[in-house]
Amino acid sequence: MCGRFAQYSSRDEYFESFGLKADEIQYDPEPIGRFNVAPGTKVLLLNERDDEFHLDPVIWGYGPEWWDKQPLINARGETAATGRMFKPLWNHGRAIVPADGWFEWEKDGDKKQPYFIYHKKNQPLFFAAIGKAPYDKDHGHEGFVIVTAASNKGMVDIHDRRPLVLTGDAVREWLSADTTPERAQEIAHDAALPEKDFTWHPVSRKVGNIHNQGSELVEEIDDPIV
């Protein structure tokens, strides 16, 4: 999975997709309006804390004190629950990134063409995420990562990995502190949307510059270079 996605719909649209009512969470109802979300920036992250839902701005990236490399932005769903780096986050820091789609780049020699991938029915997406909880505190470089799906469930036409997108019905259970790590593994396996639920189209190469924002970045172009 490449490191860009879009989070531009209103919070109401995201919440209504999995049955979260207005009185269950405090939030700003305005559209989020981010068409080019990049690693290292703060992303609105849905999480459950003290039996209540919260939407907190959290850094996309995770690098604990002993990690001497660039912060990681993704975690493989096959190993995240058991590996040294991510097991504590899987056990106690499960979260959801509400999104509208993500970007991948198709390569042909030195040419790279970005594509926007989204739900065929334009439904909101719920990326499984794990990170350093509680999310109302600043943990520096210990933010969150997006969980990615196994290669055989990837968008193989463009890239061999993709975000693990959960069904709306699975969001509450994924977030719940009562959900065991083992059950969370089952959810990640059984409640992920299949490849056939997605479609994609070529978009402007302007998305490659993180300073570019705006709805034109997700619009289909007629003359892709790849």
Side-chain angles (χ1 to χ4, degrees):
M1 173 190 171
C2 284
R4 298 291 174 80
F5 67 90
Q7 189 184 61
Y8 55 76
S9 293
S10 74
R11 295 151 178 82
D12 286 339
E13 291 177 90
Y14 294 136
F15 298 158
E16 288 173 2
S17 292
F18 69 94
L20 185 64
K21 299 177 181 177
D23 60 357
E24 292 184 272
I25 187 171
Q26 297 295 318
Y27 65 97
D28 179 350
E30 290 300 311
I32 296 173
R34 296 188 66 189
F35 292 87
N36 191 9
V37 179
T41 62
K42 288 191 174 181
V43 177
L44 288 178
L45 196 66
L46 182 66
N47 60 98
E48 186 183 72
R49 188 168 63 249
D50 301 324
D51 296 323
E52 294 181 341
F53 291 104
H54 298 267
L55 198 62
D56 298 305
V58 183
I59 289 288
W60 180 16
Y62 180 76
E65 291 184 1
W66 55 268
W67 184 254
D68 59 359
K69 303 176 184 179
Q70 287 289 326
L72 299 174
I73 61 172
N74 300 321
R76 295 176 67 92
E78 304 95 314
T79 58
T82 56
R84 175 191 177 192
M85 174 77 84
F86 296 123
K87 183 177 180 179
L89 311 185
W90 185 277
N91 292 352
H92 304 292
R94 293 188 302 275
I96 288 288
V97 178
D100 296 273
W102 73 95
F103 299 95
E104 295 288 3
W105 277 256
E106 184 175 10
K107 298 180 182 179
D108 182 7
D110 60 352
K111 298 178 181 179
K112 293 196 299 183
Q113 172 62 53
Y115 284 78
F116 185 58
I117 305 172
Y118 54 99
H119 196 285
K120 283 183 175 178
K121 297 181 179 179
N122 288 308
Q123 295 178 359
L125 306 181
F126 302 106
F127 298 167
I130 54 176
K132 181 73 171 183
Y135 292 115
D136 59 338
K137 300 186 182 300
D138 184 358
H139 300 292
H141 293 296
E142 295 182 290
F144 78 93
V145 296
I146 293 172
V147 180
T148 62
S151 305
N152 60 358
K153 296 181 181 177
M155 310 300 295
V156 293
D157 303 71
I158 299 175
H159 202 273
D160 63 353
R161 304 289 300 180
R162 67 174 176 86
L164 178 65
V165 182
L166 298 181
T167 64
D169 292 341
V171 169
R172 287 176 181 266
E173 189 176 9
W174 170 262
L175 294 176
S176 175
D178 295 330
T179 299
T180 66
E182 294 75 22
R183 174 56 185 156
Q185 286 183 271
E186 294 176 356
I187 294 171
H189 182 271
D190 298 335
L193 294 183
E195 180 185 1
K196 64 180 180 61
D197 285 359
F198 300 95
T199 188
W200 54 87
H201 59 243
V203 295
S204 169
R205 285 179 288 167
K206 291 181 180 179
V207 73
N209 186 331
I210 63 173
H211 299 293
N212 291 330
Q213 295 288 337
S215 60
E216 69 276 6
L217 297 180
V218 300
E219 295 175 358
E220 184 171 5
I221 61 171
D222 297 326
D223 55 345
I225 60 174
V226 175

